[in-house]
Amino acid sequence: YSWSATGLPAGLSIAAGTGVISGTPTVNGSFSAIVTVTDSATPAVSVSKTFSLAIAAPDLVITTSTLANGTQSVAYSATVAATGGTGSYSWSATGLPAGLTIAAGTGIISGTPTANGTFSVVLTVTDSATSPATNTKTITLTIAPALVISTTTLANGTQNVAYSATVAATGGTGAYTGRPQACQPA
C-alpha cells in the first residue's frame, strides 16, 4: 500500500510506506484529516477516509521562578513569563509591595516600591482560549530599605588642625561607596 494524507496539523506527516502518522504537532485545535491508501494493482485502486483529530494545547505554566530584589523608593521593573496555553495571556498579582503593579497584557511588574520587606507575590496567568486555562505561582520578592545617610551632624573643626569624621548610611543593598564633596565655610 501507499499512504497519503491531507489536513494533518502542522508538524505531523504520514509515512507513505507504512501509514504511520507521526511527528510533533506545532499547533492545537480540531482537525479533519483525509487519509488515502492506494494499492499496487494495475490499475491502482485508492480509498479515502476522513478522521477527526484533536490536538490539545500544552499546559499553561508560569516559567518565572525568581524576581530580582529591589530597593524602597527606587524604580523597579521585572517581567514574568509563561508557556503553553492558547493565545495571549492576561496577568494579575496579589501581595506586591505598595507602589508596584503588574501590567495585565505584558506581565511587567513595575513602579517604585514604597515599603520594604520580603513579600510573597502570588502570580496568576490566564490564557485567551474559549475555555481559559489558569495557572498560579507564588514567588518571593525582597525590597531592601531605602538608602539613607544616617549621620545627622558633623563635628566642627579648626583651621590647620587635622580633622576626621565618619558618616554612616543605612538601607540599600550591599556595600556602600561614596564620593567626597567639598565643604564650604558657612
Side-chain angles (χ1 to χ4, degrees):
Y1 301 119
S2 177
W3 296 89
S4 63
T6 60
L8 290 172
L12 294 185
S13 61
I14 191 167
T18 63
V20 173
I21 297 171
S22 63
T24 303
T26 58
V27 293
N28 61 71
S30 295
F31 300 88
S32 215
I34 300 171
V35 175
T36 302
V37 63
T38 303
D39 68 13
S40 59
T42 304
V45 176
S46 293
V47 176
S48 296
K49 184 172 183 178
T50 302
F51 293 93
S52 294
L53 176 61
I55 302 296
D59 289 340
L60 179 60
V61 176
I62 296 172
T63 56
T64 302
S65 58
T66 61
L67 289 172
N69 294 337
T71 302
Q72 182 180 357
S73 302
V74 175
Y76 180 88
S77 182
T79 303
V80 293
T83 60
T86 301
S88 59
Y89 301 138
S90 178
W91 291 93
S92 63
T94 59
L96 287 169
L100 295 185
T101 59
I102 189 167
T106 62
I108 296 173
I109 297 171
S110 63
T112 302
T114 60
N116 64 73
T118 300
F119 301 86
S120 289
V121 178
V122 180
L123 300 171
T124 301
V125 64
T126 303
D127 70 9
S128 60
T130 305
S131 297
T134 298
N135 189 276
T136 302
K137 187 174 196 177
T138 302
I139 298 178
T140 300
L141 172 59
T142 300
I143 302 295
L147 179 61
V148 176
I149 296 175
S150 55
T151 302
T152 56
T153 61
L154 290 177
N156 293 327
T158 303
Q159 181 178 351
N160 297 326
V161 175
Y163 179 85
S164 177
T166 301
V167 291
T170 61
T173 304
Y176 302 125
T177 60
R179 284 188 319 223
Q181 300 292 321
C183 295
Q184 300 297 322

